[in-house]
Amino acid sequence: MNRIFRYGLPLLLIVLAIISFMYLKSTRPQAPPVVNEERRWPVSTIQLELSAASPKLRLFGRLQTPALTHLMARTAGDVNAVYVQVGERVDAGQVLLELNPLDAQVALGQRQAELEDVKSQRAQRLAQYEADQRALVQERELVMLAERQLSRVRRLVEGNRVAEREAELAEQALRQQRLALLTRELAVEQHPSRLQQLDASLQQAEGQLQLAQRNFEATQVVAPETSRIISIQVAPGEYVNQSSPLLTLVVPERIEFVASLPLSTLNLIQTAYREGVALMAKAQIEGREYQFVLDRFDSQTHASGTLQAYFKIDTGDAEHLPIGRFVEAWLALPVNEPRVWIPAASLYGRDQVYRVVEQRLDPVKVHVLGEWVREGQAGFLVVADLLKEGDQVLANRLPQAMQGLAVETVERFERN
């Protein structure tokens, strides 16, 4: 009995424990099933509205001029005085610099003397021509007399009234007289060519005199037109040679804004330019507002895939424009097609935005017309066939953005 109790009790306890465990397991409450809920990314969206604004193209360029005015010394000499400073505005005809006139005055006197000498030679030539014409008449009469004399002598020789020697002397005198007549006729015939040669020398001397007179007057260097002093290459007391650089000037109204146009918008710009549309670029330069109008294009594209355009100043104080200054400007592009504005954060890559449809992202390709700052918010004006007014577009940067991504709109993009 003791043996049965000793060994049966533990076995009974084990069986009861197993039965209790099975009962508790079968009667335990069931855990709710696990549901894998999809994550939704919080985003900001903007509701598209048609815009009447013109897109703007940001241009980076510099101020330059097609031609600086370089004033050179027309004659050698010492610099007596410099009356202007760099950056100063000067009027047309204003004396800028003065050279010592001694060298130019000496050269002017020499050219005047050469002209007077040629005039004297020409007067002598005319007088000689008149004398040759009168002498020619006499020479012809003398030849006739010599011929008659030779005829008389020959008749006397035939009658043996004079020696043969007398006939030979008469014939020699005739030949000498004919030679003198030929010389005189040649002198008369050569008169036009000699006079023409002297006229050419006279014209040359007059031209040299005019140059010398201009060089003498140019010892006082004056501004050819209203301009601004860019640089001064000489100082008082310095000796300069002919053609030495003295000053450099620029006409403010000829200063241009030169910028590179991207090929993506070049066709649109050139088409509007050919149609006569005034294309304006606005810039802020040293706190002043300027407006430039497109004037012309470069003749070839650069290796960077851009084409240079030249803009002339339209409005603004040109007097303060600094040559060589780099400038940022905004060119208004002429666009007629319907367009919408998106903030800069909405553009992914170069031509893609994400439309939010039923809380999921839908990528849409767009054509960027240009930049536009709307009430202080930087953005772009775009067109796309799949976008329409009222669409919700992702308005913030989302690194995980992809087609079909689940999102949750937590805020709307509002104007500032």
Side-chain angles (χ1 to χ4, degrees), residues 62 93 116 133 139 162 169 173 230-231 255 309 311 324 350 384 414:
R62 65 187 306 170
E116 295 300 328
Q133 284 183 317
E139 296 289 350
V162 296
L169 292 176
I230 295 297
S231 62
I255 296 177
F311 296 80
R350 303 178 64 178
E414 300 293 344

Side-chain angles (χ1 to χ4, degrees), residues 136-194:
L136 181 60
V137 176
Q138 300 294 326
E139 296 289 350
R140 287 172 178 167
E141 292 177 353
L142 290 174
V143 168
M144 294 175 61
L145 291 175
E147 289 175 347
R148 289 197 293 267
Q149 178 65 21
L150 178 60
S151 298
R152 286 195 298 268
V153 172
R154 283 178 177 174
R155 286 195 299 269
L156 292 175
V157 170
E158 291 175 357
N160 293 323
R161 300 174 68 177
V162 296
E164 184 70 26
R165 174 65 177 167
E166 294 297 329
E168 294 176 354
L169 292 176
E171 186 175 357
Q172 182 179 2
L174 175 61
R175 289 179 177 180
Q176 290 178 348
Q177 196 59 48
R178 284 176 175 174
L179 180 60
L181 175 62
L182 182 62
T183 302
R184 191 68 64 182
E185 289 176 341
L186 180 61
V188 173
E189 291 176 359
Q190 288 181 339
H191 169 73
S193 60
R194 290 180 178 178

Side-chain angles (χ1 to χ4, degrees), residues 362-373:
D362 178 30
V364 177
K365 293 291 185 181
V366 298
H367 174 60
V368 179
L369 299 176
E371 298 182 52
W372 176 259
V373 178

Side-chain angles (χ1 to χ4, degrees), residues 309-325:
Y310 299 85
F311 296 80
K312 286 187 175 181
I313 185 169
D314 183 64
T315 59
D317 189 1
E319 294 292 337
H320 299 89
L321 287 178
I323 296 294
R325 170 74 176 272

Side-chain angles (χ1 to χ4, degrees), residues 287-407:
R288 297 181 176 90
E289 291 187 358
Y290 291 89
Q291 183 168 267
F292 300 87
V293 60
L294 180 60
D295 180 61
R296 65 190 186 281
F297 299 94
D298 205 347
S299 57
Q300 60 182 358
T301 58
H302 291 187
S304 59
T306 59
L307 181 68
Q308 277 197 333
Y310 299 85
F311 296 80
K312 286 187 175 181
I313 185 169
D314 183 64
T315 59
D317 189 1
E319 294 292 337
H320 299 89
L321 287 178
I323 296 294
R325 170 74 176 272
F326 285 93
V327 173
E328 175 187 2
W330 293 89
L331 174 63
L333 299 177
V335 177
N336 296 323
E337 53 191 323
R339 49 203 176 271
V340 294
W341 180 88
I342 61 172
S346 293
L347 186 65
Y348 284 76
R350 303 178 64 178
D351 59 354
Q352 183 172 277
V353 299
Y354 284 95
R355 180 174 51 181
V356 179
V357 180
E358 297 181 355
Q359 298 300 306
R360 292 189 179 274
L361 297 185
D362 178 30
V364 177
K365 293 291 185 181
V366 298
H367 174 60
V368 179
L369 299 176
E371 298 182 52
W372 176 259
V373 178
R374 189 181 73 173
E375 299 180 2
Q377 293 287 347
F380 303 93
L381 289 173
V382 301
V383 294
D385 295 336
L386 298 179
L387 291 180
K388 61 182 182 299
E389 189 174 15
D391 284 348
Q392 298 291 329
V393 171
L394 182 63
N396 65 288
R397 307 307 299 179
L398 187 62
Q400 299 85 358
M402 59 189 308
Q403 184 173 6
L405 181 68
V407 295

Side-chain angles (χ1 to χ4, degrees), residues 89-96 221-228 249 251:
R89 180 187 182 278
V90 294
D91 297 324
Q94 180 178 339
V95 179
L96 310 177
V221 181
V222 300
E225 52 189 323
T226 301
S227 50
R228 192 171 74 239
L249 303 87
V251 179

